[in-house]
Amino acid sequence: MPPSVWLRPERAAVGRPARRSRAEITAAAVAVADRDGAEAVSMRRVAAELGTGAGTLYRYVETRDELLDLMADHVAGEYAFAAPTGDWLDDLVDVGLQARGIHRRHPWLAERVLTAPGTGPHGADLVEHHLAVLADHPADDAAKLVALGVLSALVATFARAEHAGRDLERNAEYMAHVAAAGTHPHISALDAPPPDPAHDPLPGVLRGVLTGLLPTGSGS
């Protein structure tokens, strides 16, 4: 397996002097993905965005997959980490809500987080902040890292569901039909109020999941 892209020199050691940077290439790739989706990201397309040839990019990034890793870490730089407040749950919910904002600005990101998560410099900053927030929590290190993984995946799942809002409406329509038909008595017996568009369920879901993963009374 080749070393992480962040553990290799910025560009190949041979060839003409550098005229680009990985940061510049990554920003161009993010712009393509934000506009047209991750499937539009290719060396050729990003090179066109920069006004250069695709071969030039391979001197900085070896594969498209590396480029996607760079893109995901690049947008993780949009977090604004404040000093821990002493209320670990509020601080982690804030991280989750910031993550949702990043996903909303970059709709392609959720699929990457859920299928091929990676860690680069900005990802390491996120891990460090998460551990700083939980520095006095009695959970062990493994549980703290699991909580971060679950938090990231949960927010990505919420974000992907938001992007697929039309599909969710179609599913809700069919479930209403099933409930009215009476063929599934437990579904028919559900007493759920209609969704309130003004209500944001994510903070409550994050609180419930995080307190389940990181109980403060068990010492673990």
Side-chain angles (χ1 to χ4, degrees):
M1 178 180 296
S4 165
V5 64
W6 292 284
L7 296 178
R8 295 203 314 271
E10 170 78 9
R11 61 178 293 277
V14 297
R16 290 176 293 178
R19 298 179 58 187
R20 304 288 178 183
S21 69
R22 278 187 187 149
E24 183 182 10
I25 292 166
T26 302
V30 168
V32 170
D34 287 350
R35 189 169 60 242
D36 299 318
E39 64 278 1
V41 175
S42 66
M43 294 299 195
R44 186 181 301 277
R45 180 73 179 274
V46 175
E49 187 85 1
L50 291 167
T52 189
T56 302
L57 270 58
Y58 286 103
R59 296 167 62 192
Y60 303 85
V61 183
E62 291 186 358
T63 66
R64 179 179 182 273
D65 202 53
E66 282 189 352
L67 184 55
L68 292 168
D69 282 343
L70 289 166
M71 291 163 58
D73 192 72
H74 177 85
V75 300
E78 296 177 15
Y79 284 103
F81 298 126
T85 66
D87 186 327
W88 68 269
L89 187 55
D90 276 353
D91 289 351
L92 294 189
V93 169
D94 174 71
V95 169
L97 295 178
Q98 286 197 55
R100 180 175 61 181
I102 294 170
H103 280 286
R104 285 175 170 174
R105 291 189 292 275
H106 308 287
W108 53 269
L109 179 62
E111 196 66 27
R112 189 69 184 175
V113 169
L114 291 170
T115 60
T119 302
H122 290 125
D125 292 341
L126 173 60
V127 175
E128 178 69 14
H129 177 72
H130 178 83
L131 294 176
V133 165
L134 293 173
D136 296 326
H137 194 286
D140 61 33
D141 291 343
K144 292 176 182 180
L145 292 174
V146 166
L148 177 57
V150 172
L151 173 64
S152 298
L154 181 58
V155 174
T157 300
F158 259 72
R160 189 163 64 175
E162 281 189 345
H163 301 325
R166 184 176 301 176
D167 291 335
L168 293 177
E169 291 175 8
R170 185 169 62 245
N171 292 341
E173 181 183 20
Y174 179 72
M175 289 301 290
H177 166 77
V178 170
T183 54
H184 297 70
H186 291 288
I187 294 176
S188 298
L190 286 173
D191 184 21
D196 177 3
H199 172 65
D200 182 3
L202 184 58
V205 171
L206 292 177
R207 287 179 177 277
V209 170
L210 288 168
T211 52
L213 290 170
L214 298 168
T216 56
S218 65
S220 62

